[in-house]
Amino acid sequence: MQANPEDQTAADLAVVLFETTTLLSGYQLADTKAYGERIEQMLRLSMNVDVNEQVEEKPEEENEEPVEDDAEEEEDTTDKDEL
């Protein structure tokens, strides 16, 4: 950090290390949202993903087969066991 005080990545890394140590010591963070955002930014940078790239939403799939009721299955099993 001393080599280039303008390096935001190094500053964010220092803050993330401090906040992580704070959490590991059993203390709580005042701003957990900012902590999560810094972690996400560090992960994106480490994986060469653009910091401003949006997450693609996966479309919801409709279930073609109806979900069977567990109560009906238990009744069917009981009937077979009695025979």
Side-chain angles (χ1 to χ4, degrees), residues 29-65:
L29 298 177
D31 191 357
T32 55
K33 184 175 187 254
Y35 176 73
E37 289 170 352
R38 277 191 287 278
I39 293 289
E40 180 183 359
Q41 183 177 7
M42 299 303 291
L43 289 171
R44 284 175 178 257
L45 289 172
S46 70
M47 297 184 326
N48 295 322
V49 175
D50 184 17
V51 176
N52 297 320
E53 187 172 335
Q54 297 294 317
V55 177
E56 292 180 18
E57 295 288 333
K58 183 177 177 182
E60 291 185 26
E61 297 178 12
E62 293 183 22
N63 291 337
E64 293 179 12
E65 298 180 21

Side-chain angles (χ1 to χ4, degrees), residues 17-29:
L17 288 172
F18 174 78
E19 290 176 332
T20 301
T21 304
T22 300
L23 289 172
L24 290 172
S25 297
Y27 295 97
Q28 294 182 356
L29 298 177

